[in-house]
Amino acid sequence: MNAWLKKMMVALLALGIGQAAWADEVPNLKKIVQRAEAGESDVQVILGSMYLRGIGVRQSDQEAVRWYRKAAEQGQAEAQYNLCMMYYVGQGVNQDHEQAMEWCRSAADKGYLPAQNNLGMMYGVLQNYVEATKWLQKAAEQGSVNAQYNLGLRYEQGQGVRQNDEEAVRWYRKAAEQGLATAQYHLGVMYANGRGVRQNDEEAVRWYRKAAEQGLATAQYHLGVMYANRRGVRQNYEEAAQWYRKAAEQGDVDAQNNLGALYDEGQGVRQDSAEAVRWYRKAAERGYVVAQNNLGVAYSEGQGVRQDYPEALRWYRKAAEHGFAAAQHNLGEMYYEGKGVHQNYPEALQWYLKAAEQGFSPAQNRLGEMYEEGQGVPKNRKVAKEWHKKACDNGFQDGCNDYRKLNNEGH
């Protein structure tokens, strides 16, 4: 490749830094077009990319495709890959996944790493995991950081290969050491859970931090969890709040809920029920059941908002209908006590039962009380005793006390 062409390639690689500034420095456009029309495939790729980005020419996806195709038909791997991606997303051409895969395969067969990685991903979407793994392996072994990470996922999930946590860790580490944040996060998870490596919270924190400092929200959330729970670091709620906030502001619902909880308890931040509700609501409105339940509690108790039992009922129901046991119990309580709804023992019983069957001990004990008193069901001390025992076995002290009382009464 001559010096002029190298200069052009370097300029194109820098487009993400300053397209407008670069446009004024485009070498003679006429010369580029002449060489492209003369059939120089490398220059055709450059001209296609100029049209794609609107550099020195009017932006045109169709013209980009036209020049990529000319180069691709001459066997130029980068052009084949670019044409693949244009077909895949339907940019400048009708979307056609089969055509996309054909062009990516042509580039991948020539050893072009981005094509190998993306071809592997395309096969993964089609759930052809064996073929997906084959292409990811080729790219990963040549150092493609994205392929290394994706190959790690395949080994962790056992898709296209025998499930192998050690191999997953090996590939995550390769990508993580190249600085890929998602791989750093996954490597942290493997250390935190002791999968494929000896469990080590300090190493988990180290890798979470690397990813978190690159702005990966889920890593920021997990780093906050480590600080809040004294895992691998000294417990520090201020640090937890800082990392939760970073992730929460990016829309991470786990972090939004946990930041709300810190405001509720005044841990690491000044206690502020209204601010807790604000963060709970953000997560709740996106369907996060824990936050929906917490928002229900806030409305039920009038913390951070005006007390509103019907609104509490609404949020409890949203979480309960998605199977969240605490919300099922709380919804049962609303029916049991007639808050925001007419008192209805049979309805309360149904929600308590749903929570109790998931092992939620307060609901198990409440069922015991209802069978003991005959509320919504025929009185049955034997069944009551069974539910109290379940609650006791799950660590609920009131259940132990109620079980002992019935036992002493000879039931």
Side-chain angles (χ1 to χ4, degrees):
M1 184 181 295
N2 62 33
W4 177 84
L5 198 52
K6 286 183 180 178
K7 178 182 177 182
M8 288 295 300
M9 294 300 289
V10 169
L12 281 171
L13 289 172
L15 289 179
I17 300 173
Q19 292 187 16
W22 186 87
D24 294 333
E25 301 170 8
V26 176
N28 190 293
L29 179 61
K30 184 177 179 180
K31 181 179 178 181
I32 297 171
V33 174
Q34 286 175 344
R35 294 182 63 171
E37 289 177 343
E40 293 188 35
S41 61
D42 289 341
V43 182
Q44 290 170 340
V45 175
I46 290 172
L47 186 55
S49 295
M50 290 172 65
Y51 274 110
L52 182 66
R53 295 164 174 81
I55 305 301
V57 293
R58 186 183 298 277
Q59 197 280 335
S60 171
D61 291 338
Q62 291 75 21
E63 278 296 292
V65 166
R66 186 169 76 88
W67 286 107
Y68 287 152
R69 190 183 306 279
K70 287 179 179 291
E73 289 174 348
Q74 294 189 66
Q76 214 275 1
E78 182 182 355
Q80 292 172 335
Y81 169 70
N82 290 349
L83 193 55
C84 158
M85 298 313 297
M86 300 296 273
Y87 270 113
Y88 197 77
V89 300
Q91 187 173 349
V93 68
N94 290 332
Q95 189 175 53
D96 188 331
H97 288 172
E98 288 186 11
Q99 278 286 308
M101 293 185 74
E102 285 185 19
W103 284 114
C104 262
R105 190 178 296 106
S106 295
D109 284 337
K110 295 179 176 67
Y112 193 68
L113 293 186
Q116 292 175 336
N117 178 68
N118 281 18
L119 188 58
M121 297 299 292
M122 290 174 188
Y123 274 115
V125 171
L126 296 175
Q127 297 185 353
N128 185 339
Y129 297 122
V130 173
E131 194 69 12
T133 301
K134 182 186 83 171
W135 287 107
L136 292 174
Q137 187 94 32
K138 287 178 181 289
E141 288 174 350
Q142 294 185 70
S144 168
V145 63
N146 290 320
Q148 290 169 343
Y149 164 66
N150 288 322
L151 188 57
L153 287 177
R154 292 283 173 258
Y155 275 108
E156 183 182 352
Q157 297 165 3
Q159 294 178 328
V161 289
R162 186 183 300 277
Q163 199 281 334
N164 188 322
D165 284 341
E166 289 77 10
E167 274 296 289
V169 165
R170 185 168 79 87
W171 288 109
Y172 285 151
R173 191 183 306 280
K174 287 180 181 290
E177 288 174 348
Q178 291 195 63
L180 187 67
T182 48
Q184 292 168 339
Y185 161 70
H186 277 269
L187 187 55
V189 171
M190 301 301 269
Y191 273 109
N193 296 328
R195 292 184 56 188
V197 287
R198 186 183 300 276
Q199 200 280 335
N200 187 323
D201 283 341
E202 289 77 11
E203 274 296 287
V205 166
R206 186 169 78 88
W207 287 108
Y208 285 155
R209 191 183 306 281
K210 286 180 181 289
E213 288 175 348
Q214 293 194 64
L216 186 67
T218 189
Q220 293 169 338
Y221 162 71
H222 278 81
L223 187 56
V225 169
M226 302 301 269
Y227 273 109
N229 294 297
R230 199 172 57 193
R231 290 188 58 184
V233 287
R234 187 185 302 276
Q235 190 173 52
N236 187 325
Y237 288 118
E238 289 81 4
E239 278 289 307
Q242 173 191 327
W243 288 109
Y244 286 154
R245 189 181 308 280
K246 288 179 182 291
E249 288 173 349
Q250 293 191 66
D252 186 285
V253 292
D254 293 289
Q256 290 170 339
N257 177 74
N258 284 19
L259 184 58
L262 291 184
Y263 275 109
D264 239 349
E265 301 298 325
Q267 293 177 319
V269 291
R270 186 184 299 276
Q271 199 283 331
D272 188 334
S273 295
E275 189 67 4
V277 165
R278 186 172 79 86
W279 286 108
Y280 289 150
R281 191 182 306 280
K282 286 180 181 289
E285 288 175 347
R286 294 178 59 196
Y288 190 65
V289 294
V290 181
Q292 290 173 337
N293 181 66
N294 288 340
L295 192 54
V297 171
Y299 275 109
S300 180
E301 298 180 1
Q303 294 181 340
V305 288
R306 186 184 300 276
Q307 190 175 58
D308 186 334
Y309 289 136
E311 192 67 3
L313 190 83
R314 185 172 77 87
W315 285 108
Y316 285 150
R317 189 180 304 280
K318 284 179 180 289
E321 289 175 347
H322 284 89
F324 189 59
Q328 292 169 337
H329 168 264
N330 289 343
L331 186 56
E333 290 285 274
M334 302 296 277
Y335 279 105
Y336 185 85
E337 297 174 6
K339 291 181 176 179
V341 68
H342 291 299
Q343 188 179 58
N344 187 328
Y345 287 143
E347 187 70 12
L349 186 95
Q350 292 305 310
W351 287 109
Y352 287 140
L353 186 61
K354 288 178 184 291
E357 288 173 344
Q358 295 189 65
F360 194 71
S361 57
Q364 292 172 331
N365 198 58
R366 178 68 87 183
L367 280 175
E369 293 172 356
M370 294 183 78
Y371 275 101
E372 192 174 344
E373 300 298 327
Q375 296 172 320
V377 288
K379 185 179 293 188
N380 189 324
R381 298 293 176 83
K382 180 182 177 182
V383 174
K385 187 176 173 182
E386 289 173 359
W387 281 114
H388 287 317
K389 186 176 187 306
K390 286 179 184 289
C392 180
D393 289 345
N394 284 319
F396 194 67
Q397 187 57 47
D398 286 351
C400 299
N401 297 339
D402 291 339
Y403 176 80
R404 190 178 303 112
K405 178 176 70 72
L406 288 177
N407 208 43
N408 291 338
E409 293 173 356
H411 297 293

